[in-house]
Amino acid sequence: MLMIFQPVLSPAIMCSALPALALALALSLALLQSSVAFVPIGGGAATHVSITGTALLQKLKETCKAVAEASGHEFNPTGPSAEELVRACLGPTATGEVSAAKFRAALQEVYVQNGLVDRDFVASAPHHFNSEAFLEGRGLITEGVVSIKANIRKQNHQASREMLGRVLHTLQDFYSHSNWVELGYTEPFANLIQPDLPIENIAAKETATCSDCASGNCPNPILANILQEKKLTSGYIGIFTSEKPKGKCSHGGAGDLTSAAIPRGGISKDERRPGNEGLHDAAVTAATSASLQLLEDIRGAAGDRDFLRLMGIDRSSVVCFVIDTTGSMAREIATAKEMVYLIIDSKKGTQDEPSEYILVPFNDPHFGPMTRTTDPEVMKKEISKLKAKGGGDAPEMCLSGLQMALTGAPASSHIYVFTDAIAKDIALKDTILALMRSSKSTVSFFMTNARGRKRRSVTASFNDYTDLALASGGQAIQVTKGNLPEATDIILDTATSALVTVLQLSRSSGSETFTFLLDESLRNITLYITGSRLTFTITNPAGVSQSNTQLGGGLGTIQSVGNLWRIRLDDDKQSGTWKIQMASAQPYTLKVTGQNTITFIYDFVVPFEGPHPGYAPIAGRPQAGRPTMLLLSVMGRKGPASVTVGEVGLIPVSRAENVSRGSTTDMGNGDILVTVDAVPQGEFVVILTGTDSVSGSQFQRQSTTQMSVSKVIVTAVVDSSVEPGQMLIIPFSVMTEGSGGPCSINARNNREFPMTFPKSVPLTTGQYANATLTITPPKDTPSGTDVTLTIEAKTSASADSNYAVLRLSVVTKITDFVRPTCKVDRVAADDCPADVSQCASFRWDLSANVTDGKGTGIDRITLRQGDGVLSHDALTNLDIEASYNASCCSQIAEIVVVDKVGNVGKCFHSIAPPTIAPSVGPPSLGLARPLLLLCLLLAALNARS
Ligand SMILES: *[C@@H]1O[C@H](CO)[C@@H](O)[C@H](O)[C@H]1NC(C)=O
Ligand SMILES: *[C@@H]1O[C@H](CO)[C@@H](O)[C@H](O)[C@H]1NC(C)=O
Ligand SMILES: *[C@@H]1O[C@H](CO)[C@@H](O)[C@H](O)[C@H]1NC(C)=O
Ligand SMILES: *[C@@H]1O[C@H](CO)[C@@H](O)[C@H](O)[C@H]1NC(C)=O
Ligand SMILES: *[C@@H]1O[C@H](CO)[C@@H](O)[C@H](O)[C@H]1NC(C)=O
């Protein structure tokens, strides 16, 4: 029966025919897929990724719906794609477009970390609930969830996402690797995510659990007494040894040597094989429901808005300023302040309104603190407080301030630095390059040094800023203090939620003609040229030209200030191939940008082997001398299906050379694996062309961050969070395929926590050298502090280098896992009329008792469902009364209470007559609902045919 309906259940049909059911059916759909397997990203048709994706998308849709309804609009995605979900979630009221790139990148981060548990912790039993390590496995989940919640509170969303991916992997593995589903359970084991509940009935170490299976493939070899006594067990696995305790089950499969030892076979339900379909499907169902429960817990602790922000569902426009506040900077500070006010006031209510503001002042010898806020009024206040004082034009702590911004801002931000002095902390330059490359943020500098001032340093110059700007895809703008206001339009241009780069390059000098493709739906197309004493002529597809001397003619408006040219093309521009002819005796840069939602995200990856092979992103530079691989996701206006990818490749930034084309493998769902055999020398960017099937127009996009390959590799993995005052030991390895010899090591962290590491390691060509780094966060470090750590390695012989970027969380151990309680005490709904059409003129109310018992105390009481008014006593009370009243038309109320460490409690009440019980009740997301909906769907389909 399912076979017959599989082709009919395409997402498109689900949504057009039965929009209300689409949500829950997405879950059922995943369950119907024929070969869902617990393998990581890229390892099979459907994977840990599909289980995680199904659960995340369902939870996000529920959250979007709640947020939309609370703000009075309907949540109505036009289709099932991430792009359409983001648009519908952010609401129809705001004008403008918003890119789904951050959402896709956030999903990707969770998926990738989920998959990497199979590489980085392949031999760790607790990470996979192997070898009956139930308490240890649950310990990892508990510790992970504490860290996720602490990081969300501090708005460290990337750290939270990475941990979320790992925790979900371990949780999901329980259902594949234990005998939970063999015991007949269909609901998830709630105790795994409720640390205050015990895990009992684990089979004793000496208790045999499996019968021998000579064929190696028996559907359920669990011993009958184990099943009867409901004893919990899981499979042992040995990658290097076949030893296991007597009588115990094995994981099974080719990679598990213990599966050949009696009792032979295995109980893993990772793959759907002939004979184990039922158990495999049950494990997938339970793993999906368990993932939903964990996400619901995190959503409760975070609150709906922050849960959406965690997953990148937000306007992507972010304002980030790094400002020199020495005495000579008064005019620049005033200009930056005006710009902040202008952005806030002019973008309000549009999709281009920044979702976050970041401000980092620096001086000498101080820098920071960083202001990071979602509240525009706080940003206005903070920037108004900045005063120019002290210093002069002596070198400043510019790069320290920039480091703070790069590690604090979300990935792919546009950061603007205002300064009139060279950097004193130039030793940070390599760290800054590593952080720019790994965060893919773009840094532009406004350098306002008055001409003729003495340079006080021989090691640093304004050229350092130019190098950094170029490497990140930003601009190095040199203007006089008086002219600065004329140069800042570029900030307004990038304060948008859908910015794309069409072309980006630099040349040392000379005459050259460049072509670029402008697609029909591209808006606000702007060309930026930096350089001096240059000429250019722009020509559109129809042959109409405009040169640099015709400021207002033909194709657009040309502004010129300092070393910056800004050319805004007219709105009625023609799509097609444009040309720009450049001539300059000096170095120059050219960049073409526009606004559009057709874009792509990418990561350089390396394949990894093991029982569950896959692809892992690398934070450093790809390895030289072998093909470079990228995992790339393309976003169309209506999801990946609405674009056709043409060519993907790498192109040098500063030399005329053809694109190094990559071969592409479609990984499904808009994800493409690109392999480039002949990698360009020097710095390159990613280029992608394709066709938008909505308009039929061809498009071209480029990445902004420059990259290059290296013969040196640095690898390191952080395996846990660290407690304040404790030392964390991080092993790392360095290798070179160039010539050996001493390799200097430099490590830095953005919090200035004390570290130890060897200053140099001796390298032998082709061999990994192992070393360790220690880092000790001070005792008073607040829980939820994230630390960005860079480890740089530079060989002296070949002057080649590479780096690793690690993120770790400082989390205080917590012992309070008791959920706060919320009990409905009194309901007064007698006024509500039986005739629902009369409901509008009557109200009902309830009161509830809220307490955290002996816990840390209540932090927040909020309304999850219901249209009424919620109020409560002071949160400092031991027993808190919460009161709710609502129109009789709003029949359900759900109250969420969160304590100070993120434990979540809920209460729910419905005044609907019992015969038509609401489908959305307190969280109980087992099979019942999807199955019910499936039946409804079957009925509907029958009715249609
Ligand atoms: C982008 O173009 C639209 C019209 O196409 C215009 O309303 C908007 O102001 C422009 N945005 C910027 C930053 O210039
Ligand atoms: C690029 O490719 C074209 C056609 O294959 C070739 O004629 C041209 O010389 C190449 N250009 C460079 C710079 O390699
Ligand atoms: C470093 O560690 C790796 C893996 O742990 C090992 O294969 C390698 O031999 C070690 N290298 C040295 C020089 O000890
Ligand atoms: C709520 O608190 C009141 C006052 O402490 C108490 O009388 C009542 O029994 C409580 N109700 C519930 C449901 O716990
Ligand atoms: C509903 O609750 C609010 C806040 O406590 C209160 O001001 C209002 O009077 C209540 N309305 C009714 C009809 O009880």
Side-chain angles (χ1 to χ4, degrees), residues 138 141 145 171 189-195 290 293-294 297 819:
R138 199 228 338 224
I141 294 174
V145 169
L171 182 68
F189 187 25
N191 301 27
L192 291 181
I193 59 168
Q194 289 181 18
Q293 284 183 351
L294 185 126
D297 181 50
R819 292 164 181 252

Side-chain angles (χ1 to χ4, degrees), residues 826-829 831-832 843-847 883-886 909 911:
R826 187 188 50 79
V827 179
D831 289 349
C832 288
R843 295 184 77 79
W844 67 286
D845 67 86
L846 67 74
S847 69
S883 313
Y884 173 79
N885 67 53
H909 191 81
I911 57 162

Side-chain angles (χ1 to χ4, degrees), residues 615-638:
Y615 297 94
I618 44 176
R621 296 156 66 195
Q623 198 173 354
R626 57 188 62 191
T628 290
M629 298 176 113
L630 306 105
L631 206 51
L632 186 134
S633 310
V634 184
M635 270 137 284
R637 282 194 275 173
K638 286 178 169 285

Side-chain angles (χ1 to χ4, degrees), residues 346-347 352 489 491-496 522-526 566 568 571 595:
S346 69
K347 311 260 173 177
D352 286 345
D489 278 345
I491 302 177
L492 216 50
D493 297 341
T494 54
T496 160
L522 204 57
R523 297 279 168 269
N524 304 56
I525 299 156
T526 315
R566 174 178 176 273
R568 168 56 67 89
D571 278 347
Q595 290 178 14

Side-chain angles (χ1 to χ4, degrees), residues 43-100:
T47 58
H48 266 296
V49 170
S50 70
I51 295 172
T52 306
T54 303
L56 265 173
L57 288 180
Q58 171 167 343
K59 195 47 68 185
L60 288 169
K61 282 180 192 166
E62 275 173 41
T63 312
C64 284
K65 191 164 182 291
V67 168
E69 281 169 3
S71 57
H73 60 80
E74 243 180 281
F75 173 64
N76 242 337
T78 52
S81 68
E83 291 82 336
E84 289 157 295
L85 173 65
V86 169
R87 204 176 309 138
C89 197
L90 293 181
T93 43
T95 56
E97 289 198 291
V98 61
S99 157

